[in-house]
């Protein structure tokens, strides 16, 4: 058997990474030809369909945090956090009726334009600066997370991974505008999904579905509903309802999401794009939890492999055993 953490990338692996980088850079250059106005650059000329926009909005929020954090949550705790994620989409009708319809009919480029119209330029700038700072911190966390995982897996220096990721992402975004961002997001969404399904299948193939389910059930990992009123309880149904709806509204109405919705070719398309997110997101988030539960069962069935794992998060990328060739 071979530990995944000891695997070195082969020439084919590096070729795949290089090919992906060339594809996204190529998309950026291709769509750069269409940039004639600020609307073309920032809103894809308001020409996008709802499937692409809905997939892009979801992919924009998926990252190494989702891949490492959600399985780690399932591994270390139970399914309670999954309820929080699902309830977040109760906010969809609220977002459409109070925010999307309003902003779309204004025909603005940035939602912060409204703050200038409603108040003044200083308020617009302040809100924009706060948003940019928060997103820079968010992006730094994402890039750092994947860099740490790549270092653990194949020994690539985190600094090199951070620089490569930043340069490639910034380049195709800067050159291709919103249309390039949306279509690369669509590609990334399918890669995320295929990767999750493949990871789960590897674990199930290794240990068998039955034994894995037995371990998960025995550990009460499927517990989700805790109606306790004790404020010290980590996750309760009441917390999921309140925090889920508030978080759902925040995620669907910030500039990252709204800029994508405003790029659709009609309000009806934008509304369908918002509804598409929970349709895609709930199964995808469920898959991340299934992966975490599968890894928990895997390490229970193979306890010697769990040596050295000191917290739930690293289980997503360390020590998973793969069969070697005879």
């Amino acid at each position: 058997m071979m530990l995944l953490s000891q695997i070195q990338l082969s020439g084919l692996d590096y070729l795949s990474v290089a090919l992906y980088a060339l594809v996204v850079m190529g998309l950026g250059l291709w769509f750069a030809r269409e940039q004639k106005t600020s609307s073309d650059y920032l809103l894809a000329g308001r020409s996008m369909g709802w499937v692409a926009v809905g997939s892009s909005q979801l992919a924009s929020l998926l990252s190494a945090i989702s891949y490492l954090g959600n399985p780690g949550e399932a591994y270390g705790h139970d399914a309670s956090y999954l309820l929080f994620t699902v309830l977040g989409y109760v906010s969809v009708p609220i977002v459409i009726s109070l925010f999307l319809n309003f902003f779309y009919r204004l025909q603005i480029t940035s939602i912060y334009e409204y703050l200038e119209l409603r108040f003044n330029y200083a308020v617009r700038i302040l809100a924009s600066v706060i948003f940019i700072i928060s997103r820079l911190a968010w992006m730094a966390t994402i890039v750092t997370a994947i860099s740490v995982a790549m270092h653990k897996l194949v020994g690539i220096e985190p600094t090199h991974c951070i620089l490569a990721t930043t340069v490639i992402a910034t380049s195709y975004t800067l050159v291709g505008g919103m249309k390039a961002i949306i279509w690369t997001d669509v590609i990334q969404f399918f890669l995320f999904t295929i990767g999750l399904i493949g990871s789960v299948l590897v674990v199930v193939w290794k240990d068998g579905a039955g034994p894995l389910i037995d371990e998960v059930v025995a550990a009460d990992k499927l517990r989700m509903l805790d109606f306790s009123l004790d404020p010290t309880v980590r996750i309760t149904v009441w917390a999921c309802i309140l925090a889920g709806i508030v978080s759902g509204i925040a995620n669907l109405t910030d500039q990252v999401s709204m800029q994508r919705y405003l790029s659709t070719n009609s309000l009806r398309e934008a509304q369908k794009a918002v509804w598409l997110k929970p349709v895609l997101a709930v199964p995808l988030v469920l898959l991340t939890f299934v992966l975490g539960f599968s890894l928990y069962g895997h390490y229970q069935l193979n306890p010697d492999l769990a040596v050295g794992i000191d917290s739930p998060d690293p289980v997503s990328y360390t020590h998973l055993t793969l069969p070697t060739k005879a």
Side-chain angles (χ1 to χ4, degrees), residues 12-25:
L12 181 60
D13 295 319
Y14 283 110
L15 179 62
S16 299
V17 173
L19 180 61
Y20 175 76
L22 289 174
V23 168
V24 296
M25 293 294 290

Side-chain angles (χ1 to χ4, degrees), residues 191-211:
L191 291 177
F192 283 147
T193 304
I194 293 171
L196 274 175
I197 293 173
S199 299
V200 172
L201 290 178
V202 167
V203 183
V204 172
W205 176 60
K206 171 66 177 62
D207 296 308

Side-chain angles (χ1 to χ4, degrees), residues 65-137:
I65 298 175
S66 308
Y67 262 67
L68 305 181
N70 285 357
E73 171 70 19
Y75 182 95
H77 301 282
D78 52 34
S80 298
Y81 188 80
L82 183 59
L83 180 65
F84 161 79
T85 301
V86 173
L87 288 175
Y89 298 111
V90 175
S91 63
V92 167
I94 300 174
V95 169
I96 290 176
S97 61
L98 296 183
F99 296 93
L100 179 65
N101 295 349
F102 177 75
F103 285 127
Y104 199 95
R105 288 175 178 136
L106 284 177
Q107 289 293 290
I108 56 180
T109 301
S110 163
I111 60 176
Y112 298 108
E113 288 181 52
Y114 170 71
L115 294 179
E116 182 179 1
L117 297 173
R118 177 67 178 82
F119 300 103
N120 54 51
Y121 184 70
V123 173
R124 172 182 177 177
I125 292 299
L126 176 61
S128 299
V129 169
I130 293 173
F131 169 76
I132 291 171
I133 292 174
S134 65
R135 281 300 170 178
L136 283 174

